[in-house]
Every structure is written in C-alpha cells, then in structure tokens.
Amino acid sequence: MSILVVMEQRAGAWNRMSFETLAAARHFARELDTTASAAVLGHSIGPLAAELAPKHLEKVYAVEHALLQDYTPDAYTIALRQLLEVAQPSIVLFPQTYQVRDFLPKLAASLGKMAVSDAISHRVEDGQLVLVRQLFQGKVNVDSRFAGDAPHFASLQAGAYAPDQLAAPAPEGAVHPSLVEKFVPRISPADIRTRPLEPFRESQHLVDLGAAEIIVSVGRGIKDAGNIPLIEKLTQALGAELGASRPIVDAGWLPNERQVGSSGQTVAPKMYMAIGISGAIQHLVGMKASRTIVAINRDPDAPIFEVADYGIAGDLFQVVPALVEALQKSK
Ligand SMILES: Cc1cc2nc3c(=O)[nH]c(=O)nc-3n(C[C@H](O)[C@H](O)[C@H](O)COP(=O)(O)OP(=O)(O)OC[C@H]3O[C@@H](n4cnc5c(N)ncnc54)[C@H](O)[C@@H]3O)c2cc1C
C-alpha cells in the first residue's frame, strides 16, 4: 500500500489546499504504516517539484509536458493514468479544488472507479482507511470505505487538515529528502478536446482575510443588509477585517472575497468572532484553526458554540452595540 498526493499549481504558484492534502497524506501514511509520495503536473515543473523535496516524502514526481502548461481535463487525465501505471499507488489523494472537481470524476470513471469526494476527516479501522463525508448540507456524516482493486481516489475538503502538520517528524522508513523524479507522459495535441477559459475573478482588489489578525464575521442572524453597518462599527472598534458566512454573500450583501468557509477563504486569525452564524461545517472548516473563537448567537444550542472559546448566548442587536460602546470607552 502507498499513498500519492496530486498537488495543484497554476502558472507556477501552488494551490495552498495541496499542502493540506499533503499533510493529510503523511498522517494517513503514518497510521496505515505506509509511505506518501506527491506528483505535480506542468511544463518546466522541475523547480516547483523540487520545493517538495524537504517534505519527507518517498518520492516527488515532476510530471512534465508542454501540453500540461495550462490545465485541460484531457491532458491531466491521460498524464495521471500513465503515472498511476508507473507509481502503482493504493490511494490517490487530491485537494477538493474546482480543477479537481472538473477532472477527478473523469479520471476515476476512465479506470472504472469511483472517487470519494470532499472528505472532512478519517480514521483507520482494521488497517483500512475510513473517510468521513457529509451529506444534506452537513446534517449527516457518512463513512466511506474503499472496495475492490487499487488505485482508490479521494479528495479532501478545504480546511479539513492543517498544512502545518507537515512539521511533524517523518514517518518510520520515509526517505528524506524526497527523491524528485521526472515523468514524461505521452500526450498529443489531438488528445485535447476542450480548453478552459481564464478563471473568472469577481474583484481586482481581493481582501486577504488570511492576513488579518482579527476577523469579525457576520451571518444570517443579521437579518438585513441594512444592519451590516452595526457589525462594521465593531470591526472598526477592534481594528478587524469583516468576514461573512455564505448566505450573506449569496444575497449580495457583501462581496465574495469576504466569505469564510469551504467555498470561501480559509482563515486562522488570532481572534475570530462569529456573529449570528450557526456553525455549519462548511463555515467551520474555514475558521476552526483560529486561535481564539468568540461566538454571539441567540440560540444557546447553535453548533458554533462547540468550537467557540468564548460564547455569548444573546441577541446580537443588543450584544454588539454594548460591545462597541465598551470598546470605545476603553480607548
Ligand atoms: C457545497 C457547499 C459549500 C458551502 N460553503 C460555505 C462557505 O464557504 N461558507 C459558509 O459560511 N457556508 C457555506 N455553505 C453553507 C452552509 O452550509 C450554511 O448554510 C451557512 O454557513 C449558514 O450560514 P449562517 O450561519 O449565516 O446562517 P444560518 O444557518 O441560518 O444561521 C443563522 C444563525 O443566526 C442566529 N441568529 C438569528 N437571529 C439572531 C440574533 N438576533 N442574534 C444572534 N443570533 C441570531 C441563529 O440562531 C442561527 O444560528 C456551503 C454549503 C454547501 C452545500
């Protein structure tokens, strides 16, 4: 048994979720008493692949071809199928990015396999990996076990594993530094039938919530866009960035770049305040690594309180003005 992580890069820049998946792979490898390797696809990809050399992996495959310069589902599927024949991994892990959503079902189906998508956690039972996924918007957790012959495919949800677990010691028997190996797949221009356009970007001035030390996020409890200035007063008093749960962004009350969660940004500030946010798993995965979490919610049973270090069970329309007043007085 062995594990292969397919890392994602675009124009030579890593997708940060790849490092979460890499950390998870090393975790799985340790618990399954096996080794983890990584692959990265692209053109002139050697220097980027070499960055993985110190990551305590058994091998790093630099999958190199001019037709992998820009992502296409056809070239990626062809290249990975050929790599899998050589590397022979038991489990192939991917970060659940938009790109992976695009080609992983195609890759798995081309081999007559299924892919377990969007796993949020795992455990090892009788030497077998059990991946946990969520159904019905996080209301039900299901266990997924692989059956049949390898390779088995899975993708991991953003924020489900912390990338800093890479700092943990190398698993027993792992080679260090990792061996970087060039792999040149056979791809011809006629194989490529579709080419994605440039990814759509809503805003030219993205807010980097990842760099903020304090984030105050607002959820559906705010009731109306006209009430958001109340939360902005609190962000000003705290010197915080404003974040939001997805319904606030979906309603167009705040821009996309402020969304925290599995389909927004993953953040880990010194303090994260969740105001009128219930604590759905898709929100939690984006902020649960924050050092201190404060929640304000009028429902004392709201799931957000399970991850909160400090909780105020109360009406935000009373609590927030009182907090703003207290903060202003203390200055
Ligand atoms: C594929 C997918 C991806 C998703 N990605 C994300 C994502 O990236 N980020 C994200 O946030 N969600 C995401 N979601 C949505 C997620 O499942 C939840 O629906 C969402 O997080 C709920 O937002 P909320 O907590 O603001 O709203 P609700 O769940 O409606 O919660 C509102 C909360 O406000 C409280 N409240 C109401 N009035 C008051 C008051 N006066 N004072 C205090 N508290 C009050 C309520 O008690 C309640 O707990 C995703 C869902 C899917 C299926």
Side-chain angles (χ1 to χ4, degrees):
M1 180 186 283
S2 63
I3 299 173
L4 177 72
V5 180
V6 179
M7 305 284 289
E8 184 168 315
Q9 62 85 26
R10 187 186 292 273
W14 291 112
N15 180 310
R16 64 180 165 75
M17 281 168 62
S18 302
F19 290 95
E20 299 173 8
T21 310
L22 201 59
R26 283 174 25 93
H27 221 58
F28 296 0
R30 195 157 39 236
E31 291 174 35
L32 292 164
D33 198 16
T34 184
T35 54
S37 295
V40 56
L41 286 71
H43 183 42
S44 306
I45 204 71
L48 201 64
E51 288 179 16
L52 301 177
K55 300 290 185 195
H56 309 296
L57 296 160
E58 193 193 27
K59 229 179 233 186
V60 176
Y61 294 98
V63 184
E64 171 69 48
H65 200 289
L67 291 171
L68 294 170
Q69 165 96 38
D70 296 317
Y71 163 73
T72 63
D74 290 318
Y76 265 54
T77 304
I78 292 167
L80 282 170
R81 280 191 60 164
Q82 292 174 20
L83 177 69
L84 296 182
E85 276 169 29
V86 172
Q88 295 278 318
S90 313
I91 298 170
V92 192
L93 292 179
F94 301 80
Q96 174 76 356
T97 61
Y98 289 113
Q99 192 167 290
V100 165
R101 275 169 227 216
D102 189 47
F103 75 83
L104 177 55
K106 173 181 163 70
L107 170 67
S110 74
L111 291 165
K113 304 275 178 195
M114 290 196 302
V116 176
S117 63
D118 230 0
I120 58 158
S121 63
H122 79 286
R123 61 181 190 278
V124 171
E125 252 175 35
D126 304 325
Q128 296 294 313
L129 184 65
V130 181
L131 290 170
V132 180
R133 309 177 61 234
Q134 296 202 312
L135 297 182
F136 304 118
Q137 301 212 350
K139 291 197 170 51
V140 182
N141 279 5
V142 291
D143 290 347
S144 301
R145 292 175 179 79
F146 297 124
D149 298 333
H152 303 298
F153 298 98
S155 65
L156 305 183
Q157 192 173 93
Y161 291 86
D164 59 7
Q165 287 164 6
L166 283 173
E172 194 79 15
V175 182
H176 175 71
S178 324
L179 185 67
V180 180
E181 193 174 295
K182 185 171 165 182
F183 177 80
V184 182
R186 298 173 309 280
I187 315 172
S188 85
D191 293 328
I192 295 167
R193 298 166 302 168
T194 54
R195 286 184 189 279
L197 299 173
E198 269 300 297
F200 174 69
R201 290 218 185 281
E202 178 111 25
S203 169
Q204 295 298 318
H205 307 285
L206 284 181
V207 176
D208 186 7
L209 288 182
E213 295 209 332
I214 306 176
I215 297 174
V216 175
S217 279
V218 59
R220 196 144 47 184
I222 196 71
K223 300 211 168 32
D224 190 273
N227 294 326
I228 288 180
L230 174 66
I231 308 298
E232 284 170 337
K233 278 189 192 152
L234 184 57
T235 60
Q236 279 154 20
L238 284 167
E241 271 293 353
L242 180 63
S245 66
R246 180 163 159 173
I248 300 300
V249 171
D250 284 351
W253 297 353
L254 285 174
N256 261 337
E257 64 209 63
R258 303 231 172 240
Q259 183 179 318
V260 173
S262 61
S263 47
Q265 298 203 41
T266 302
V267 298
K270 286 186 181 159
M271 183 170 82
Y272 186 89
M273 272 183 114
I275 304 182
I277 292 178
S278 58
I281 183 69
Q282 292 88 357
H283 190 81
L284 297 186
V285 295
M287 45 62 78
K288 67 181 180 190
S290 306
R291 199 176 306 164
T292 302
I293 298 173
V294 182
I296 302 172
N297 196 304
R298 70 173 177 196
D299 173 6
D301 296 323
I304 191 75
F305 288 127
E306 287 168 26
V307 297
D309 300 288
Y310 299 95
I312 303 173
D315 187 331
L316 74 88
F317 295 101
Q318 291 170 1
V319 177
V320 174
L323 270 177
V324 172
E325 198 187 321
L327 282 162
Q328 283 167 348
K329 271 191 195 150
S330 71
K331 280 185 181 165

